[in-house]
Amino acid sequence: MTVTVSLPKGVVRGVLMEFRRHFTTKEWLILQASPIWVGFLVAAADGHADPKEIDENLRQTIRAATFSTGFTKEVFEDHVYMHLNDDDALSAVVETLDPLEGLKAVSILLGKIPASEAENFKDTLRNMAFKIALVSDGIDKNEEAAIKLIDLILDGQFNLPFYY
């Protein structure tokens, strides 16, 4: 039996892919994994991942793929496409890298693109983290700490003393 998965309305994979050419295949997969890592860090911050948080992560990912522009749109569109088609390469990157190490790599990789595009991407991830935390009875202190940690890592502040 063959199952066909289509992208949500408004998501078109591979249109130009102007930014993709700046990255190796592995680097591009690391960038695509970032919404999963952000969702994991926030959802697991309180000791358990609420199904509402997981659903919100998916909702925010599709929203970013649909309504973003430039680099952010390219990464999220490709992420949605690969995720919906159960791409093993994306799964392997997600499972291989620790979420914190993965986000550190993302922060470094963003240096390959114009600063405005990098800031837009980081803002999208920060917004996702906040919305994921909000969906389950508000933001608790552990989720707040996770959001702050994500923010610090995305800003390239890897070596700050921060206890999660």
Side-chain angles (χ1 to χ4, degrees), residues 41-143:
L41 289 169
V42 174
D46 58 5
H48 68 284
D50 185 325
K52 291 187 284 186
E53 293 169 319
I54 296 166
D55 290 345
E56 186 63 23
N57 188 5
L58 180 58
R59 205 172 4 267
Q60 291 304 314
T61 299
I62 291 171
R63 182 172 177 74
T66 306
F67 297 110
S68 295
T69 60
F71 174 77
T72 303
K73 185 172 190 69
E74 283 185 28
V75 172
F76 277 84
E77 279 184 350
D78 219 23
H79 168 94
V80 169
Y81 177 84
M82 293 183 79
H83 188 71
L84 288 175
N85 288 289
D86 292 324
D87 190 284
D88 291 337
L90 180 58
S91 297
V93 168
V94 170
E95 293 168 9
T96 302
L97 285 174
D98 171 81
L100 297 176
E101 293 303 316
L103 289 178
K104 287 178 186 179
V106 167
S107 177
I108 293 166
L109 291 171
L110 292 176
K112 290 184 163 192
I113 59 171
S116 61
E117 293 289 345
E119 282 305 312
N120 185 43
F121 188 76
K122 291 188 284 188
D123 287 346
T124 299
L125 292 174
R126 289 178 182 118
N127 190 37
M128 285 182 72
F130 182 74
K131 289 185 176 184
I132 292 165
L134 269 178
V135 79
S136 65
D137 303 324
I139 300 173
D140 68 25
K141 66 180 178 140
N142 294 323
E143 290 166 330

Side-chain angles (χ1 to χ4, degrees), residues 14-22 28 70-71 74 114 117:
V15 175
L16 297 180
M17 295 296 275
E18 171 185 344
F19 294 96
R20 166 67 182 90
R21 63 185 167 83
H22 297 288
W28 191 248
F71 174 77
E74 283 185 28
E117 293 289 345

Side-chain angles (χ1 to χ4, degrees), residues 33 65 68 153 158:
S68 295
I153 291 172
F158 311 144

